[in-house]
Amino acid sequence: MSATLGPVGQTVRAPKTAELIAAQLRRRIVQGELTPGETLPPETQHMEQFGASRPTLREAFRILEAEMLISVRRGSRGGAQVMAPDFSVAARHVGLLLQMQGTTVDDVYEARMIAEPACARMLAKRRTKQDLTDLSEVVAELQSAVESKDDAVPDPALWSRLTYRFHELIMERCGNKTMAVQGAVLQEIVATHLEMRVSRNFDRTESPERFQRAIKAYKRLVVLVEARDAEGAERHWRTHMKVAGTYLLKDDLHNKPVVDLFA
C-alpha cells in the first residue's frame, strides 16, 4: 500500500483495510451499538457489508481480539462475541509505555498515592448507602479471613483479593469517571506486583498485628466516608498508603520494571 506524507515531510502509512474495519467495529462497541455478550453477524455478512475478503475480515477480528473487545470461537458453530473492555488491557499497554521510559513499580505506586487519596476525598463527598455497604462488606470479609485462622494470618491469595477490591471500590465510586479509569489502571499494575510480592514473601512469620492494623485503617476510612469528612478521608488514606508502601516495596520487587510484571 502506498504511503503519504505527514505534516513535516514524515512518511505516514495509509491504514490497511483490516484496520479500517476494526476501527468501525470498535467505534460501534464503544458507542454501545454492540453490547457485551452480543454475537456479531456471520463472516459472510460482514464481508458483504465491508466489501472485504475473508482473510482481511479475520485480520480485523484479530486486532479486536488483541484489544479484548471480542472473543472469536473457531469452527462450524463459531463466531465473534463482543466483550466488555477490561482494565487489565489498558494496564498492560500503559505498562509497556512506562517500561520504555525505565519506569519502576516505585514510580507507579507514587503516582497511585497521588490519585487514590484524591478519590477517597471525592468518595466521601459523593458516597451513597450502597458504597458504604460494599466497603463495609469487604472489611467484614477481611476480618473473617483473619479470625478464621488460628494464627490470625489469613490466606495470602484471599487477603490480596479482598484488599485489591477495597482499593478498587474507592476509585470506582469516587464519582469521576476519568479518575476512576486512571486509578484503576495504576491499581491493576500495583495489584499484579502485590500478587508477586505475596507469593514470594508471604509466610507464617508474618505479624498478625500487621493485618489488624490494616483492617483498622480500612474501618477508619469507612467511618470518615460515612461522615462525609472529605479532608479527613484523603489525609487518612494517604497516610495508610505510605505505611502500606513500606511493606509492598520493601524487597527487590520495588525497582522491578513494570512490564516484567506481565511477562
Side-chain angles (χ1 to χ4, degrees):
M1 183 166 296
S2 61
T4 57
L5 292 180
V8 286
Q10 178 184 8
T11 300
V12 180
R13 178 183 62 81
K16 298 167 62 175
T17 302
E19 294 170 341
L20 294 174
I21 294 173
Q24 288 193 41
L25 292 173
R26 184 188 302 112
R27 187 178 303 110
R28 294 183 64 192
I29 293 172
V30 170
Q31 293 177 343
E33 296 178 28
L34 298 171
T35 57
E38 182 177 347
T39 299
L40 297 181
E43 285 185 346
T44 52
Q45 187 172 328
H46 275 122
M47 290 163 59
E48 181 178 348
Q49 176 186 350
F50 294 114
S53 66
R54 193 180 302 274
T56 296
L57 179 63
R58 290 185 174 178
E59 184 180 351
F61 280 4
R62 281 193 292 270
I63 293 172
L64 297 175
E65 268 193 298
E67 297 171 353
M68 295 187 71
L69 290 177
I70 67 170
S71 174
V72 179
R73 185 173 58 182
R74 313 298 177 187
S76 57
R77 296 185 179 181
Q81 189 175 62
V82 178
M83 298 174 61
D86 191 329
F87 282 128
S88 65
V89 179
R92 187 177 297 272
H93 286 292
V94 170
L96 290 170
L97 292 173
L98 292 174
Q99 166 61 7
M100 292 180 68
Q101 301 177 55
T103 310
T104 62
V105 171
D106 307 56
D107 194 273
V108 174
Y109 193 81
E110 183 179 36
R112 183 183 156 216
M113 284 182 61
I114 296 172
E116 197 170 319
C119 287
R121 179 188 184 93
M122 291 187 286
L123 174 61
K125 289 182 177 180
R126 304 169 179 177
R127 59 83 175 160
T128 65
K129 289 184 178 180
Q130 188 61 53
D131 296 332
L132 294 172
T133 297
D134 293 343
L135 288 167
S136 297
E137 284 181 355
V138 176
V139 173
E141 289 185 69
L142 284 167
Q143 189 71 59
S144 177
V146 170
E147 293 174 350
S148 65
K149 298 293 184 178
D150 294 337
D151 55 6
V153 177
D155 175 76
L158 177 60
W159 179 264
S160 296
R161 179 177 62 79
L162 291 173
T163 53
Y164 173 89
R165 179 56 182 158
F166 193 88
H167 286 270
E168 187 178 44
L169 281 170
I170 293 172
M171 295 177 292
E172 278 183 1
R173 309 294 177 82
C174 74
N176 183 283
K177 293 180 180 179
T178 302
M179 284 290 290
V181 171
Q182 290 178 336
V185 168
L186 294 180
Q187 171 65 4
E188 188 76 24
I189 293 172
V190 173
T192 303
H193 164 264
L194 177 59
E195 290 178 9
M196 188 176 294
R197 164 74 177 85
V198 167
S199 65
R200 177 184 292 191
N201 298 100
F202 198 106
D203 58 38
R204 294 301 159 184
T205 64
E206 290 281 3
S207 168
E209 288 74 23
R210 185 178 72 79
F211 302 106
Q212 291 294 349
R213 285 196 299 270
I215 292 172
K216 183 178 179 180
Y218 288 4
K219 288 181 177 179
R220 178 60 179 164
L221 182 68
V222 175
V223 170
L224 292 168
V225 168
E226 184 173 15
R228 299 190 189 277
D229 184 349
E231 291 186 9
E234 181 177 18
R235 183 171 55 251
H236 169 70
W237 205 239
R238 181 175 294 109
T239 299
H240 167 71
M241 291 188 68
K242 286 181 180 178
V243 173
T246 61
Y247 170 78
L248 291 174
L249 307 175
K250 72 177 184 179
D251 57 22
D252 64 307
L253 290 178
H254 75 95
N255 58 5
K256 192 177 188 65
V258 293
V259 73
D260 290 349
L261 298 177
F262 303 98

